Amino acid sequence: MELPVYIDGKREGALTVERQGTMTAMTVQVRDVGRVVRLSVYGEKAGYLGIPEPAGGGTLRLEKRFTPMEMLQFPQRMEYAADRPMDRQTPAAQPAEAPKPDTAKRHVLWMGGKPYFF
């Protein structure tokens, strides 16, 4: 079974779930977004999957195997994997605009190798 992986509300890769004997193997391959991503699997509940590691070529990869007992932490019907739950009723959230820089002149005083702003 293949499920989409969403990071910051955009589809960035895929999660493959397959049986290997009594174990269940989950493999995630996503585009490297330049930060640490903690992925969970979502459905009727959420189950923590892990943190993918750099795999070269601008991708992140995570491979894990779970026992039947460990699979109880995951939803029965998995819908997607993501760094946070998505609201399926509304379109993907757009990132907030960066705050505008303060135009007031700031003074910096360096003391003991540390900057003090006022």
Side-chain angles (χ1 to χ4, degrees):
M1 167 174 45
E2 190 168 295
L3 302 169
V5 177
Y6 297 100
I7 299 174
D8 296 328
K10 294 187 288 189
R11 187 175 179 159
E12 298 291 350
L15 164 67
T16 305
V17 181
E18 57 187 25
R19 294 288 305 234
Q20 293 180 344
T22 60
M23 305 287 278
T24 302
M26 293 191 193
T27 305
V28 174
Q29 184 140 3
V30 296
R31 184 179 69 82
D32 189 352
V33 293
R35 65 177 176 87
V36 174
V37 179
R38 290 176 175 80
L39 295 176
S40 295
V41 177
Y42 294 94
E44 66 272 4
K45 64 179 181 177
Y48 181 69
L49 189 56
I51 300 173
E53 298 175 353
T59 62
L60 300 174
R61 187 171 176 86
L62 172 67
E63 293 182 35
K64 283 194 149 181
R65 288 175 179 73
F66 298 97
T67 65
M69 202 63 158
E70 292 171 324
M71 284 302 293
L72 295 176
Q73 73 177 342
F74 294 102
Q76 285 287 333
R77 291 191 198 113
M78 297 180 204
E79 296 177 15
Y80 62 94
D83 57 341
R84 61 178 171 255
M86 293 179 50
D87 181 12
R88 291 303 202 165
Q89 304 298 350
T90 59
Q94 297 296 324
E97 290 184 28
K100 294 185 171 54
D102 188 9
T103 57
K105 181 132 176 117
R106 291 186 174 217
H107 299 282
V108 180
L109 177 64
W110 287 85
M111 292 180 60
K114 296 181 182 177
Y116 294 89
F117 300 94
F118 59 96

